Amino acid sequence: MTVRDVVHDHLTHEEPVLFPALREHVGPAEWQDFAQRVIATTPPVAGHLMVGFLDEVGTPAEVELVLSGLPEPVRPLVPAMRLQAAADLGVLRGTGA
Protein backbone atom coordinates (compact mmCIF):
# COMPACT_ATOMS: atom_id res chain seq x y z
CA MET A 1 0.00 0.00 0.00
CA THR A 2 1.38 3.42 -0.96
CA VAL A 3 1.24 6.61 1.09
CA ARG A 4 -1.33 7.89 -1.40
CA ASP A 5 -3.53 4.86 -0.71
CA VAL A 6 -3.23 5.28 3.05
CA VAL A 7 -4.13 8.98 2.89
CA HIS A 8 -7.04 8.29 0.53
CA ASP A 9 -8.33 5.47 2.74
CA HIS A 10 -8.11 7.73 5.79
CA LEU A 11 -10.05 10.51 4.09
CA THR A 12 -12.64 8.20 2.59
CA HIS A 13 -13.45 6.18 5.67
CA GLU A 14 -12.55 8.15 8.77
CA GLU A 15 -12.74 11.91 8.34
CA PRO A 16 -16.25 12.18 6.81
CA VAL A 17 -17.59 10.31 9.84
CA LEU A 18 -15.60 12.19 12.47
CA PHE A 19 -16.76 15.76 11.88
CA PRO A 20 -20.51 15.03 11.59
CA ALA A 21 -20.36 12.91 14.76
CA LEU A 22 -18.47 15.62 16.61
CA ARG A 23 -20.84 18.31 15.32
CA GLU A 24 -23.80 16.50 16.91
CA HIS A 25 -22.17 15.79 20.27
CA VAL A 26 -19.60 18.49 20.96
CA GLY A 27 -20.42 22.04 21.96
CA PRO A 28 -18.40 25.22 21.31
CA ALA A 29 -16.31 24.94 24.50
CA GLU A 30 -15.40 21.34 23.70
CA TRP A 31 -14.54 22.31 20.11
CA GLN A 32 -12.18 24.98 21.42
CA ASP A 33 -10.49 22.45 23.69
CA PHE A 34 -10.27 20.01 20.79
CA ALA A 35 -8.76 22.71 18.57
CA GLN A 36 -6.12 23.51 21.17
CA ARG A 37 -5.20 19.82 21.54
CA VAL A 38 -5.00 19.34 17.76
CA ILE A 39 -2.68 22.32 17.39
CA ALA A 40 -0.54 21.26 20.37
CA THR A 41 -0.10 17.69 19.14
CA THR A 42 0.28 18.23 15.40
CA PRO A 43 3.82 17.35 14.32
CA PRO A 44 5.76 20.38 13.09
CA VAL A 45 6.64 18.60 9.85
CA ALA A 46 4.06 18.84 7.05
CA GLY A 47 1.57 20.71 9.24
CA HIS A 48 0.11 22.16 6.05
CA LEU A 49 -1.42 18.75 5.37
CA MET A 50 -3.51 19.07 8.55
CA VAL A 51 -4.93 22.30 7.13
CA GLY A 52 -5.69 20.54 3.85
CA PHE A 53 -7.36 17.59 5.57
CA LEU A 54 -9.45 19.89 7.74
CA ASP A 55 -10.54 21.91 4.70
CA GLU A 56 -11.68 18.75 2.95
CA VAL A 57 -13.89 17.43 5.72
CA GLY A 58 -14.95 20.31 7.95
CA THR A 59 -17.32 23.16 7.39
CA PRO A 60 -15.67 26.58 7.08
CA ALA A 61 -16.80 27.41 10.63
CA GLU A 62 -15.37 24.16 12.02
CA VAL A 63 -12.08 24.67 10.23
CA GLU A 64 -11.83 28.24 11.45
CA LEU A 65 -12.53 27.12 15.00
CA VAL A 66 -9.75 24.53 14.87
CA LEU A 67 -7.31 26.90 13.18
CA SER A 68 -8.12 29.70 15.63
CA GLY A 69 -5.79 27.91 18.04
CA LEU A 70 -2.79 28.54 15.81
CA PRO A 71 -0.22 30.97 17.19
CA GLU A 72 -0.70 34.48 15.78
CA PRO A 73 2.57 34.46 13.79
CA VAL A 74 1.38 31.33 11.96
CA ARG A 75 -2.14 32.49 11.04
CA PRO A 76 -1.04 34.67 8.07
CA LEU A 77 0.63 31.56 6.62
CA VAL A 78 -2.64 29.58 6.40
CA PRO A 79 -3.44 30.58 2.78
CA ALA A 80 0.00 29.39 1.64
CA MET A 81 -0.42 26.23 3.72
CA ARG A 82 -3.74 25.58 1.93
CA LEU A 83 -2.11 25.94 -1.48
CA GLN A 84 0.79 23.67 -0.53
CA ALA A 85 -1.59 21.09 0.95
CA ALA A 86 -3.69 21.03 -2.23
CA ALA A 87 -0.57 20.52 -4.33
CA ASP A 88 0.88 17.82 -2.07
CA LEU A 89 -2.41 15.96 -1.70
CA GLY A 90 -2.79 16.04 -5.47
CA VAL A 91 0.62 14.42 -5.85
CA LEU A 92 -0.16 11.83 -3.17
CA ARG A 93 -3.44 10.99 -4.90
CA GLY A 94 -1.82 10.84 -8.31
CA THR A 95 -3.89 13.73 -9.62
CA GLY A 96 -1.37 16.58 -9.28
CA ALA A 97 1.91 17.55 -10.85
Side-chain angles (χ1 to χ4, degrees), residues 33-93:
D33 183 54
F34 171 73
Q36 291 296 324
R37 283 188 275 147
V38 167
I39 298 301
T41 61
T42 297
V45 176
H48 65 288
L49 292 176
M50 176 64 78
V51 174
F53 292 144
L54 289 170
D55 282 340
E56 288 186 352
V57 300
T59 67
E62 291 164 342
V63 173
E64 179 53 34
L65 183 58
V66 172
L67 297 181
S68 69
L70 287 171
E72 187 54 41
V74 176
R75 291 192 55 75
L77 303 175
V78 170
M81 293 169 77
R82 283 191 164 108
L83 290 174
Q84 188 63 51
D88 290 351
L89 290 171
V91 169
L92 289 170
R93 292 178 176 137

